[in-house]
Amino acid sequence: MYDTFSDEKWMKLALVEAKKSYDSNEVPVGAIIVHNNEIIGRGHNQPILKNDPTSHAEIEAIRNASEKIKNYRLKEADIYVTLEPCAMCFGAIVQSRLSRVFFGAYDKKTGCCGSCLNLNNKTCFNHSPEISGGILNSECSKILKKFFQEKRTKS
């Protein structure tokens, strides 16, 4: 079940991660992974800094959590991410067996949890996380809009 107060609390912490990307001139997306009411993983977008196209917030948080618990399976853990996951990140979420995905802003261009595509509807995967979108949508969208508006202004 979902707890609006807790979900918003965790999403605010994912927004702290997104701000780290923003401050590094990366697309501002942040993620945290929670297990038993404790953060076990954090991540933010860093593909430019790391010269790694897979360095999305979700992937970084999954790597961080897996290292912390010494297991690539993150069963019974939840991920909070400020932007709807793309296909690559959704694949990592499935492979890591995260139980639930909570995201903030919808992504009509690359979102794979219902906006552009719904990979969670596919029966070919051996795991299907629960998905809930739109948590603090306004706040999550705002940092992205500000970032891209500044990019267009500077061009």
Side-chain angles (χ1 to χ4, degrees), residues 60-130:
E60 292 296 318
I62 289 168
R63 288 175 178 156
N64 184 248
S66 295
E67 187 175 311
K68 182 173 182 171
I69 69 165
K70 306 290 185 227
N71 194 333
Y72 74 100
R73 297 263 170 109
L74 302 173
K75 291 182 176 184
E76 299 177 15
D78 302 329
I79 188 165
Y80 290 81
V81 59
T82 58
L83 182 65
E84 182 178 0
C86 68
M88 175 184 69
C89 293
F90 185 80
I93 287 165
V94 169
Q95 293 300 317
S96 64
R97 307 299 194 277
L98 284 161
S99 294
R100 299 184 300 180
V101 177
F102 298 92
F103 68 87
Y106 292 87
D107 185 349
K108 291 178 178 25
K109 292 183 179 178
T110 64
C112 288
C113 295
S115 290
C116 177
L117 184 64
N118 190 353
L119 289 178
N120 209 38
N121 268 354
K122 305 298 178 196
T123 58
C124 56
F125 299 125
N126 61 347
H127 174 71
S128 295
E130 291 180 40

Side-chain angles (χ1 to χ4, degrees), residues 7 10-18 28-34 41 43-45 56-62 78-86 89-90 93 98 100-106 113 131-137 140-141 144:
D7 294 341
W10 297 125
M11 190 61 73
K12 285 177 184 175
L13 293 171
L15 277 163
V16 170
E17 291 297 313
V29 179
I32 62 163
I33 296 177
V34 178
H44 56 278
N45 272 4
H56 287 197
E58 299 95 323
I59 305 289
E60 292 296 318
I62 289 168
D78 302 329
I79 188 165
Y80 290 81
V81 59
T82 58
L83 182 65
E84 182 178 0
C86 68
C89 293
F90 185 80
I93 287 165
L98 284 161
R100 299 184 300 180
V101 177
F102 298 92
F103 68 87
Y106 292 87
C113 295
I131 296 177
S132 181
I135 298 163
L136 297 182
N137 181 23
C140 294
S141 296
L144 288 159

Side-chain angles (χ1 to χ4, degrees), residues 43-61:
H44 56 278
N45 272 4
Q46 303 178 71
I48 298 168
L49 178 69
K50 291 188 171 186
N51 293 307
D52 179 357
T54 69
S55 189
H56 287 197
E58 299 95 323
I59 305 289
E60 292 296 318

